[in-house]
Amino acid sequence: MWQAETKSKQWKFDRVMKEIQERNMDVYIYLMKLDPEKWTLLHDGEHRHGIMTSNIPEALNSVLKKARVSGTSNHIYTLRINNKSCSCGKWQTHTLPCSYVLAVCRENESRADTYVPKIYMRQTYRRTYQVNFHPALSENFWRDFPFNLTFYPPNMKKERGRK
């Protein structure tokens, strides 16, 4: 399910959903009954800003890591700074400047943080946690799913050359 919910391209989403359908028809039917806007990045109307987890620092580090590695791509992308878009598609999906924006800002000695949405600013983060949070209810109050899930242990093969 994680693979389906994190896809931002229709063809990738369709491919994963087909795989889910082939593996477990009950899960596929269950997912198809859900409003895709509530659980998929592709259909969320860009409200999640590409974040499917609460681990925002991990998302930011991913962008910054790619920005540090400059000059390794042979692709040419078009930036539209005023529209906050890049032909790589990552700026629109995540609403954070992609590595190409950061590289252009570095070249022009301009501040990339002016292109970061307010939701990622320190003041916004602090305001978020000023309210009280209520703990989740115990498992006795969780709803049952209309299907069974079987979990298999991950493949733990050691790669060649590793100890």
Side-chain angles (χ1 to χ4, degrees):
M1 189 168 131
W2 174 256
Q3 288 294 321
E5 68 184 283
T6 59
K7 297 302 179 212
S8 60
K9 303 273 188 255
Q10 185 69 50
W11 68 271
K12 289 181 179 181
F13 175 79
D14 292 342
R15 185 181 64 198
V16 172
M17 289 304 291
K18 183 175 183 202
E19 186 177 324
I20 290 172
Q21 183 181 21
E22 291 169 356
R23 288 186 179 198
N24 190 327
M25 183 57 85
D26 292 334
V27 172
Y28 176 79
I29 291 169
Y30 175 79
L31 292 175
M32 294 307 289
K33 288 180 182 177
L34 296 175
D35 180 0
E37 186 177 296
K38 305 279 189 231
W39 69 276
T40 67
L41 180 64
L42 176 66
H43 299 100
D44 81 339
E46 298 181 2
H47 290 82
R48 280 193 200 98
H49 309 292
I51 297 176
M52 302 299 289
T53 177
S54 61
N55 196 351
I56 293 172
E58 182 178 327
L60 294 173
N61 285 337
S62 172
V63 171
L64 294 174
K65 180 179 178 184
K66 290 174 186 165
R68 285 186 217 110
V69 182
S70 62
T72 59
S73 174
N74 293 329
H75 301 289
I76 296 174
Y77 293 103
T78 303
L79 290 175
R80 291 188 173 87
I81 298 292
N82 293 335
N83 295 340
K84 295 186 178 180
S85 68
C86 178
S87 60
C88 76
K90 292 179 183 176
W91 198 359
Q92 300 88 291
T93 300
H94 302 289
T95 70
L96 289 171
C98 63
S99 57
Y100 305 105
V101 174
L102 299 179
V104 167
C105 288
R106 186 175 53 233
E107 278 295 310
N108 295 324
E109 296 180 5
S110 60
R111 293 182 52 134
D113 62 350
T114 59
Y115 303 109
V116 175
K118 290 182 181 179
I119 64 165
Y120 298 111
M121 299 299 177
R122 184 180 302 133
Q123 303 87 326
T124 307
Y125 180 80
R126 287 183 177 160
R127 279 195 308 268
T128 300
Y129 292 101
Q130 287 178 340
V131 299
N132 292 330
F133 287 90
H134 301 286
L137 298 173
S138 74
E139 290 181 33
N140 297 334
F141 295 96
W142 296 0
R143 66 183 173 120
D144 290 327
F145 289 104
F147 52 82
N148 292 323
L149 291 176
T150 304
F151 295 96
Y152 298 99
N155 184 0
M156 301 298 284
K157 280 186 187 176
K158 287 187 177 181
E159 294 180 25
R160 185 178 290 176
R162 294 185 64 159
K163 295 180 181 182

